[in-house]
Amino acid sequence: MVAPLNVGIAGLGTVGAEVVRLIEQQARLLSARSGRSVRVVAVTARSKSKKRDLDLRGVSWAKNALELATDPGIDCFVELMGGSGDPALSAIGAALKSGKSVVTANKALIAKHGLRLAKWAEQHGVALNFEAAVGAAIPVIKTLREGLAGTGINRVYGILNGTCNYILTRMEQEGLSFAECLKDAQRLGYAEANPSFDVDGHDTAQKLAILASLAFGTKVAQNAVYVEGISSIKPEDLRAAEELGFRVKLLGVAVRTAKGIEQRVHPTMVPKSSSIAQVMGVTNAVTIDGDGIPPITLVGPGAGGAATASAVVADIVDVARGICAKPFGRPVERLRATSKAPMERHEGGYYIRLMARDLAGTAATIATRLAQQKISIESIVQRHPDGVDAIAANGKGSPVPVILITYATSEDAVHHAIEAVQRDKVISGRPQVIRIEKN
């Protein structure tokens, strides 16, 4: 008989409690799939006395995560406390160094200390699994690390934050402002009381840094990611996107270029015909472009107790099976350093919305400044707010929205052109610029 895999879980919040339930409910299935039984034998949490809908009879309680991590009676340490430092960092380090495999859902810790932890896992011949850290139930980590191990990756991009996707979906479908949708997201529990980590793009940046490492063999470096949030997006941008055949999504994009690996998080216009454009609400999605294969898009719940617990238990089953893959798909010593790619070098199409003064010569001035930067225009929409064609109206100098879609150009050229137009005083307010990501 093969000995059971004894699991210790640190953290009994929404995810931790669901992991305990899932292991109990699916005991026979997990045993059949892994060839050995999986059982929770020890736990720890901030409060032992807190009421939980769990049967923990026969399960021992450790005083803290460090004690649990070094308990000789467990084979696999599961960290579900969160946080980018201690106690999670010390506990995981202790578990790895004592020869125990580790499963975690902690994206912040992996983004900040993943290389150090992976090195310890390799040195001690144990697993460090973190599928639940990115996209919860979407198996994107295993897809990049194992399923596409024989494929060169050119680009990975996706919707990695359900809060932002929910807000943009509501804004588009109901014509509401960012502030209105954010307030509703907080009421429904999709957004935190302080939502800046989500809506400013930092949550997506942590996940993207992990995916980029797996895709391109680079060292995880969150500080190499350009980050821009969604608070500047207006309902009129979403209406214009609709008319022009696009949708606006907050994307994390990692792409191989001639100048290196570009990593960026920002609001993005994507063609409505693309798979990623169909993903609405709190759902997440990741598209992978690889050599010799059509793009692969993985879609599913990117957060929530049940979805995250599903990924955690899948990682535990891999440990029970004896699978011990390199955490980042290759030895840590072979991961290449990466630096932040200057966004001014980025090349692609752009959506530009200007509030142009409705005066003779304004359009010509804008066109001249764009031409000076060698920017070619794919389409232009110029209207009064009431829908009257601005060119045919007798304006009196009031601002008129002018929307431009450019062919591929550089970020630097776009900014120089806009700065020149602002100096010419033919526009008012702050121009809106949104990058376009083609299929």
Side-chain angles (χ1 to χ4, degrees):
M1 293 289 291
V2 180
L5 180 77
N6 292 332
V7 176
I9 300 177
L12 289 176
T14 302
V15 176
E18 191 62 34
V19 169
V20 174
R21 290 190 198 98
L22 197 55
I23 290 175
E24 181 182 357
Q25 293 167 1
Q26 303 288 353
R28 296 178 71 177
L29 177 65
L30 301 184
S31 177
R33 287 179 172 173
S34 62
R36 63 193 295 197
S37 62
V38 176
R39 62 185 189 182
V40 178
V41 298
V43 296
T44 190
R46 280 181 291 187
S47 172
K48 184 177 179 179
S49 60
K50 179 180 176 180
K51 289 186 177 180
R52 298 178 176 89
D53 184 22
L54 293 174
D55 182 4
L56 294 175
R57 289 174 296 180
V59 176
S60 66
W61 275 82
K63 287 187 297 185
N64 53 53
L66 191 60
E67 180 183 271
L68 179 62
T70 54
D71 182 347
I74 72 166
D75 308 303
C76 177
F77 175 68
V78 180
E79 184 276 308
L80 299 171
M81 299 177 292
S84 62
D86 289 330
L89 177 60
S90 294
I92 290 177
L96 294 171
K97 291 173 184 177
S98 64
K100 303 182 197 307
S101 290
V102 170
V103 173
T104 180
N106 193 335
K107 63 181 178 295
L109 187 70
I110 296 300
K112 188 173 184 179
H113 300 291
L115 297 180
R116 190 196 324 181
L117 298 176
K119 188 172 183 179
W120 289 338
E122 291 173 15
Q123 288 173 344
H124 295 276
V126 292
L128 171 63
N129 295 339
F130 46 87
E131 183 66 64
V134 181
I138 304 173
V140 63
I141 301 294
K142 289 176 184 172
T143 299
L144 287 169
R145 186 175 61 198
E146 299 159 30
L148 295 176
T151 302
I153 306 300
N154 299 314
R155 180 175 59 158
V156 178
Y157 65 99
I159 298 165
L160 300 172
N161 183 275
T163 299
C164 290
N165 205 44
Y166 171 82
I167 290 172
L168 291 171
T169 297
R170 289 286 306 279
M171 289 178 68
E172 176 190 340
Q173 293 179 343
E174 301 177 40
L176 301 174
S177 69
F178 168 79
E180 289 174 307
C181 291
L182 173 58
K183 185 176 180 180
D184 206 40
Q186 290 171 318
R187 180 182 64 80
L188 294 169
Y190 294 146
E192 302 290 339
N194 180 359
S196 59
F197 188 70
D198 288 320
V199 301
D200 290 344
H202 301 296
D203 173 77
T204 298
Q206 287 183 343
K207 296 170 182 176
L208 183 68
I210 295 169
L211 294 183
S213 177
L214 288 156
F216 303 114
T218 56
K219 293 181 178 179
V220 182
Q222 188 184 343
N223 59 6
V225 183
Y226 170 86
V227 184
E228 188 181 312
I230 64 170
S231 59
S232 67
I233 301 300
K234 307 294 183 188
E236 50 263 42
D237 297 317
L238 301 178
R239 288 194 296 269
E242 168 74 21
E243 292 179 14
L244 294 163
F246 294 96
R247 277 205 171 102
V248 178
K249 300 291 184 183
L250 181 76
L251 291 191
V253 182
V255 59
R256 187 192 304 277
T257 75
K259 301 165 186 173
I261 306 301
E262 187 177 273
Q263 300 179 61
R264 47 191 166 85
V265 173
H266 51 73
T268 311
M269 283 199 172
V270 294
K272 287 177 69 175
S273 59
S274 64
S275 298
I276 213 95
Q278 315 309 315
V279 179
M280 310 297 275
V282 296
T283 305
N284 283 196
V286 180
T287 295
I288 304 167
D289 289 345
D291 289 337
I293 60 173
I296 296 170
T297 300
L298 307 173
V299 181
T308 306
S310 172
V312 170
V313 174
D315 276 347
I316 293 171
V317 168
D318 275 355
V319 174
R321 288 169 169 165
I323 297 172
C324 186
K326 294 289 186 288
F328 290 98
R330 65 195 76 192
V332 170
E333 63 182 18
R334 294 186 183 178
L335 296 174
R336 306 187 313 277
T338 186
S339 58
K340 190 171 186 176
M343 276 305 292
E344 57 264 25
R345 296 182 187 174
H346 171 69
E347 294 184 356
Y350 287 81
Y351 160 97
I352 304 170
R353 176 170 56 81
L354 308 170
M355 293 304 294
R357 298 190 185 282
D358 192 11
L359 299 170
T362 292
T365 299
I366 293 172
T368 297
R369 294 306 189 188
L370 293 170
Q372 287 172 347
Q373 297 300 324
K374 297 181 173 58
I375 298 173
S376 298
I377 302 300
E378 183 175 340
S379 64
I380 180 169
V381 180
Q382 185 177 14
R383 292 194 185 95
H384 278 290
D386 61 4
V388 178
D389 189 331
I391 297 174
N394 285 323
K396 296 182 180 179
S398 59
V400 176
V402 175
I403 296 166
L404 310 169
I405 299 293
T406 78
Y407 284 105
T409 186
S410 71
E411 183 105 354
D412 197 40
V414 170
H415 285 305
H416 281 311
I418 288 174
E419 288 168 2
V421 170
Q422 287 176 311
R423 287 195 301 270
D424 292 329
K425 297 183 179 180
V426 295
I427 64 172
S428 62
R430 183 178 178 181
Q432 175 70 288
V433 177
I434 303 176
R435 299 165 193 91
I436 297 171
E437 195 77 14
K438 297 293 187 179
N439 291 343

